[in-house]
Amino acid sequence: MSVPANQNKIRGPILALDLGGTRVGVALSDELSISIRRLEPLLRTNWKQLLRDVDAIVRRFDAKTMVIGLPLSLDGTVGTAALEVQRTAKKFSQSLEIEIYLQDERLSSVEASERLRYEGIASSVNSSLIDSESAVIILRDFLDDNQDRIRIKPQTDP
């Protein structure tokens, strides 16, 4: 369900995830959503482990909101990768007590790679950081975006 940004105050800290097949990029804002830092990416093995890992990060940093990158096609349509992210986001919403949103992440990996290269980070190191740098971009776009936000509501909500 879409909620106009100005009608729903987003609470920080905000946790951002870039759900990759092998790794999950992770970024976190401060409580006031002023600064964003990238965290170590998570290795993605199975759903239960991913849930435990994300829950541990939520608890460790007392995150109040989570945003997950939605990999829409370049033309804005929902493909198989985006459908899988939507399913995973729904599962998170049923398992964690945190507000969850989706954020368009088109070209975030390209921008992340360029940013890391600009920072002078070698391409051999770049590949291990790119997922979390993508999560930083997803979170930045989420905070900057004045468009409607896509909130994932748990099935238990009316």
Side-chain angles (χ1 to χ4, degrees), residues 32-90:
L32 299 175
S33 300
I34 295 170
S35 65
I36 301 171
R37 66 178 167 150
R38 75 179 163 244
L39 302 177
E40 288 292 317
L42 303 172
L43 289 178
R44 190 166 182 179
T45 55
N46 60 56
W47 165 247
K48 286 184 180 182
Q49 187 60 51
L50 178 61
L51 179 59
R52 280 193 295 269
D53 291 344
V54 170
D55 184 49
I57 294 170
V58 167
R59 291 175 187 274
R60 178 178 172 201
F61 294 103
D62 195 27
K64 304 294 187 210
T65 305
M66 183 163 62
V67 59
I68 301 172
L70 183 63
L72 297 173
S73 301
L74 288 178
D75 65 1
T77 58
V78 176
T80 55
L83 288 172
E84 181 57 34
V85 165
Q86 288 174 330
R87 281 192 288 274
T88 302
K90 189 67 150 175

Side-chain angles (χ1 to χ4, degrees), residues 36-156:
I36 301 171
R37 66 178 167 150
R38 75 179 163 244
L39 302 177
E40 288 292 317
L42 303 172
L43 289 178
R44 190 166 182 179
T45 55
N46 60 56
W47 165 247
K48 286 184 180 182
Q49 187 60 51
L50 178 61
L51 179 59
R52 280 193 295 269
D53 291 344
V54 170
D55 184 49
I57 294 170
V58 167
R59 291 175 187 274
R60 178 178 172 201
F61 294 103
D62 195 27
K64 304 294 187 210
T65 305
M66 183 163 62
V67 59
I68 301 172
L70 183 63
L72 297 173
S73 301
L74 288 178
D75 65 1
T77 58
V78 176
T80 55
L83 288 172
E84 181 57 34
V85 165
Q86 288 174 330
R87 281 192 288 274
T88 302
K90 189 67 150 175
K91 287 166 63 175
F92 276 131
S93 76
Q94 294 166 344
S95 303
L96 301 174
E97 293 183 19
I98 188 170
E99 288 188 28
I100 300 175
Y101 294 84
L102 297 175
Q103 173 65 40
D104 180 358
E105 67 157 299
R106 282 178 277 184
L107 301 175
S108 66
S109 294
V110 172
E111 182 180 348
S113 181
E114 289 173 0
R115 285 175 59 162
L116 291 170
R117 206 170 23 256
Y118 180 77
E119 288 178 28
I121 297 174
S123 58
S124 59
V125 177
N126 184 327
S127 63
S128 66
L129 295 176
I130 197 161
D131 298 303
S132 289
E133 188 63 26
S134 291
V136 167
I137 293 165
I138 290 164
L139 182 48
R140 180 208 62 205
D141 290 349
F142 178 75
L143 292 170
D144 290 347
D145 198 351
N146 291 324
Q147 299 176 20
D148 288 351
R149 293 189 165 130
I150 303 168
R151 182 170 179 213
I152 301 296
K153 294 208 175 222
Q155 282 182 310
T156 56

